[in-house]
Structures are given as C-alpha cells and as structure tokens.
Amino acid sequence: MPGTVLLLAASPLGRSCVVDAAGVLPVLAAVAPSVLAGTETANVVELADPLDPQAVLTRLRAAAAAPGPLTLYVTGQLHLDRRQRLPHLALARTTPATVRYTALPWHWIREELRLRPAGATALFVDLHTDADTWQYLAGRPLDSGRDNAVYGRIAPPPGRRGLAEPTYMKAVATLLRSGHRPPSEQLHQQAVARLGDEAATNILLGARAAHSGDPHAAISAAVRAGRYAEADALAGRWEQTAARAHGPASEDALHWAEVRADLAMFAGDAAGSCRAWLTVAGTRLGAGQPVDAAAVEAAVDRAHHQWGRIEDPARARELGPALAQLRLRVPGRREGALENVQQHLRQLQTQ
C-alpha cells in the first residue's frame, strides 16, 4: 500500500523567528519519497512556511485519511497561546500576541491522527521553544496521541547568536539520503548521536504510544473494511462502560463520544456526526468547561463543519438552530463563524 509523507516546516517572519525551519526542506526533498515513507511507493506533501492554520489542517486531515502508512516530518517552533496556554506550532504570520489565531494548535495534530490504526503513523519532530514553552513542556509531555510513534527532540530557547538550526531533522535527512531507511527507532538514535553534546540539553522523544489490545485498533480495522456499524457498536460499548464508571461528562466517556462522532463522518452521515458533536459540546459546557477550552471549540468547529456537509435541507434546518445557539456562546477562532451559520440558515428557510 502506498505511504503518505507530510513535510511541514514553519517559523514566523521577523523577530519572533528562533529557528531556520524551512532550511531543512531542500535536504528532505532530496530524499526519495519511498525512503521518506519506508514503503515501495509514496505520496509527498510539502508545506513550507504556511500562513493559515486552517489550510494546514486541511492538508493534515487529507493525509490522516490516507489508508497506508503515514509519516510526518515537522520542523519549527512551539509557543503557548496567552489565553489557554496550550502548545501551538508557529506559522509564518505568528507573533506572541496572535498565537491563538495564527498558529497551528498541537492538539489539532493529535485529533486528526486519533483514529489511525496503531503502528501506522510516525512523527519525526525537531521543535524549538521560547522560555515560557520550554518551562511548560518540562513538566508535561507533548501529547501526540496514544497510537502514534513520536521521535525527535524539543530544544530550549537559543542564545543570542542568531537563528538556531534544525540539526536533528537535518541529521535525519542526511541519513535518509543514503537511500536506506532503517527502522524508525534506529533512525532516531542515529540522528541523536549526530547531535553530540547538544542532545544533553534537549527533551528527546523516542517512545511508541501504541497499546496492545487497544480497542482503537479493532475500530480502525472495521473502518478500513467499511464496517461502520460494527465500529460504532464497539465504540458505543466503550462509551457506556466509561460513562458507568466515571460519569457521562468524564474525559473517558467524552473521548468515546468523540470517536463515534468521527465514525459517523467516516460513514458519510454528516447529520449524525453534527448531532454527536453538538452533544459533546453541550456536555462539556454543561460540565463547566469554559467556552474557549480547546475541546469545546474543537467540538463546535467539527459540528459546524459537518453541518455544512448535510445534503438534506430538512435535516440541516433541524440542526441549524442548535448550532447557532452554540456559536453564540462559542464563536471559535474563525471570524464570521456565527454569521456563516445564520446566513446558511436563512438560505435553508427559503428552500
């Protein structure tokens, strides 16, 4: 099965830039796609200093939907947004004051990779930080999802001697240019060895997050085979078990509710997916989560996205008012989201 490779290198323009991220892309692009992916054939998507987080999300979503192995090579710098203090990958227009609106939230990467089968996804990352983000990550691991293998390093703030270099990712690229792709863990260790003393000051990432017997693997297998009802039934049983054990508003139960919302999307049931995301958002808000919490915003954004894909006007009219009420409370990061719902609702009323 063909592999998919996403090369993402981003850093802000101007004084906010701490690393020459895009400088690694020519070296990576010189590697054969099959070597980058570790498969006989592969499709490569390259994103060099992208401007818009939504555009990156679209490419990421398409790559995550590919059925074969997926490898991401991500180079850049992490910053915390000022409101929620969550890690974001800075993009070309990011400044310290606009992280929330112009950078890519790291949890978007985790969310898009969530339903991929265990062992089918690998991330190689070379990430630099500012002082605030470095202190944050020292006490919290970078969450990239339970079924994804993550390799690389997170570097502390550079000194005053100009831009830092993505030396880890350049080492990976140089090793791959030999035409040989060793196993990912071995490739990671060889790249770390080339960092020398620099590695001692970095946070090194080299752990596989997959779990044997994880129900996500069985669900993913059912999705790949087109057995959506079976996948939903399995996720539903886990949701009920979590709700009985921890309550319907617990993160365990909400996780499975979100999985079921995604499963409806994969099955082509946009209305069912929209309704499920509306329920998740309402449950989170009802449990006291703030309107700008990442999980609340993500649920409303996904409900909005799926609502726009409903082809039956009657079903869209049925769900539209609830979405509009939610958008009043949770405007999200995209300007005009509430106006978009209201305008679409007016169009539906005339049909």
Side-chain angles (χ1 to χ4, degrees):
M1 191 174 291
T4 301
V5 175
L6 180 62
L7 307 178
L8 171 56
S11 55
L13 302 173
R15 289 182 297 177
S16 298
C17 183
V18 300
V19 59
D20 177 24
V24 77
L25 283 178
V27 194
L28 281 170
V31 179
S34 59
V35 178
L36 285 171
T39 56
E40 288 189 10
T41 59
N43 302 308
V44 178
V45 178
E46 180 178 317
L47 297 176
D49 283 328
L51 299 173
D52 179 22
Q54 293 291 336
V56 177
L57 178 62
T58 298
R59 297 295 186 90
L60 174 64
R61 186 167 288 164
L70 171 63
T71 309
L72 294 88
Y73 297 87
V74 182
T75 309
Q77 53 193 73
L78 291 177
H79 297 279
L80 303 179
D81 69 294
R82 290 179 174 177
R83 183 178 297 182
Q84 295 175 291
R85 295 186 58 76
L86 294 174
H88 288 60
L89 182 72
L91 302 183
R93 292 188 297 200
T94 301
T95 66
T98 65
V99 169
R100 176 172 164 79
Y101 303 100
T102 61
L104 181 76
W106 190 262
H107 61 264
W108 284 9
I109 296 177
R110 181 193 67 221
E111 289 294 312
E112 292 307 319
L113 302 181
R114 177 173 54 191
L115 275 187
R116 287 189 55 79
T121 308
L123 289 84
F124 286 87
V125 302
D126 191 339
L127 301 169
H128 284 70
T129 61
D130 57 20
D132 196 24
T133 312
W134 176 253
Q135 185 175 3
Y136 172 95
L137 291 173
R140 303 171 182 84
L142 190 64
D143 184 1
S144 303
R146 69 178 76 199
D147 292 323
N148 308 313
V150 185
Y151 308 95
R153 63 90 177 257
I154 301 173
R160 299 181 180 180
R161 294 177 294 176
L163 292 180
E165 289 290 328
T167 47
Y168 171 85
M169 196 64 75
K170 285 186 174 180
V172 168
T174 301
L175 289 162
L176 292 177
R177 284 183 68 177
S178 69
H180 170 62
R181 166 66 186 265
S184 294
E185 182 66 40
Q186 185 179 339
L187 175 62
H188 166 69
Q189 294 299 338
Q190 291 175 0
V192 169
R194 294 194 173 205
L195 294 179
D197 294 341
E198 187 181 351
T201 64
N202 294 172
I203 298 172
L204 298 177
L205 311 170
R208 177 175 295 278
H211 299 282
S212 60
D214 192 324
H216 295 78
I219 291 170
S220 297
V223 169
R224 291 197 305 278
R227 302 192 306 272
Y228 300 108
E230 176 186 326
D232 182 68
L234 179 56
R237 288 198 294 273
W238 281 93
E239 181 185 6
Q240 291 173 1
T241 299
R244 285 196 299 268
H246 309 291
S250 66
E251 282 303 319
D252 280 351
L254 285 167
H255 166 75
W256 290 109
E258 291 174 348
V259 167
R260 298 185 72 189
D262 278 339
L263 290 172
M265 175 191 68
F266 290 136
D269 181 7
S273 182
C274 174
R275 183 178 285 106
W277 282 115
L278 289 172
T279 300
V280 168
T283 302
R284 288 189 178 280
L285 289 168
Q289 295 188 21
V291 295
D292 62 352
V296 172
E297 286 188 339
V300 178
D301 287 346
R302 286 169 177 246
H304 191 162
H305 178 72
Q306 289 300 302
W307 184 65
R309 301 177 77 92
I310 299 173
E311 296 180 355
D312 181 353
R315 300 192 76 186
R317 280 195 296 268
E318 174 193 348
L319 293 169
L323 177 61
Q325 287 296 318
L326 262 181
R327 271 297 183 213
L328 278 169
R329 297 181 65 188
V330 187
R333 302 180 181 219
R334 299 197 72 174
E335 290 187 14
L338 174 60
E339 291 80 1
N340 173 269
V341 176
Q342 293 170 334
Q343 180 184 2
H344 190 36
L345 261 178
R346 286 193 294 271
Q347 293 172 345
L348 288 168
Q349 300 300 338
T350 63
Q351 293 181 13

